[in-house]
Amino acid sequence: MANRLKAIALLAAILAPTASGANALAQTAHIFWKDLRPATQAVAEDAGLPMIAAKLPDHGETLSLNLQDKTIQLAGYALPVDRDGDLVYQFLLVPWTGACSHMPTPPPNQIVLVTPARPYKMSKAYESVAVTGALQPGMEKSQLFILDGVSIIQSGYTVRKAEVVAVENVPDTITLPVTSPWTFLNKKKN
């Protein structure tokens, strides 16, 4: 009887983390970039690309506090901040390709600083990825090394210990207008 109780206790201990992990996945909110800004803030298409903080009354510093500590999943484009070869230890998640390095920086409430749970193997900058983890609102500054020097980028959110997976496309990606000199950064539509 004692062995049977031990076996049941061992089985319960093994299944408990699996059940809580499944529960956490079930409670993951799949969000879009619009969810990170106030409803009154103009979207990129209305503000005229590139949507930059200087064009916004609050400079893009108004954050969505209703998502604090919630497990979210957000797709975007990864721009490495801390890397060693093809292993990325920290990156900025941005809503369109070219943001921060080839074009002006989006507002802070449209940039997420991501620290993966494990180093993420990235083949190129602006790789489309989905990030899952607890979202923390709060301004942070990161140094981004670009071709013509160093740029300080302010992000409005962080996700630490994030699960990161490559995705084919970003559902709410912003396509640059035809008149933009940066149209070569547009991802091909399938």
Side-chain angles (χ1 to χ4, degrees):
M1 182 68 158
N3 284 342
R4 180 177 254 177
L5 287 176
K6 284 181 184 177
I8 291 172
L10 179 62
L11 182 60
I14 291 170
L15 292 178
T18 305
S20 66
N23 191 23
L25 277 178
Q27 294 178 0
T28 299
H30 297 269
I31 66 169
F32 298 100
W33 288 98
K34 67 178 177 58
D35 299 320
L36 298 179
R37 62 177 176 77
T40 57
Q41 181 178 313
V43 295
E45 291 86 352
D46 296 341
L49 276 175
M51 183 176 77
I52 56 175
K55 291 184 176 184
L56 304 171
D58 69 347
H59 300 287
E61 293 179 353
T62 302
L63 305 177
S64 181
L65 300 178
N66 62 335
L67 295 171
Q68 183 169 349
D69 297 324
K70 293 202 172 142
T71 301
I72 59 96
Q73 183 176 69
L74 177 65
Y77 301 96
L79 184 58
V81 171
D82 183 12
R83 75 182 310 162
D84 183 15
D86 61 354
L87 293 180
V88 176
Y89 297 93
Q90 196 170 53
F91 62 87
L92 297 173
L93 188 68
V94 295
W96 60 80
T97 58
C100 301
S101 65
H102 298 297
M103 295 174 53
T105 304
N109 64 15
Q110 295 294 284
I111 301 174
V112 180
L113 178 62
V114 178
T115 305
R118 292 166 297 288
Y120 181 72
K121 189 171 184 175
M122 186 180 296
S123 58
K124 63 182 183 203
Y126 297 110
E127 186 173 311
S128 51
V129 297
V131 171
T132 305
L135 187 71
Q136 293 295 320
M139 298 294 181
E140 281 205 34
K141 291 183 179 179
S142 303
Q143 283 189 357
L144 182 64
F145 295 93
I146 51 179
L147 290 176
D148 55 353
V150 176
S151 184
I152 304 296
I153 307 296
Q154 187 166 13
S155 55
Y157 300 93
T158 58
V159 177
R160 290 181 169 77
K161 298 181 182 176
E163 293 301 320
V164 181
V165 295
V167 294
E168 285 294 315
N169 58 31
V170 176
D172 58 339
T173 193
I174 295 167
T175 302
L176 301 174
V178 176
T179 57
S180 169
W182 304 107
T183 54
F184 68 92
L185 295 171
N186 284 335
K187 295 281 183 182
K188 297 227 186 307
K189 302 267 184 203
N190 291 338

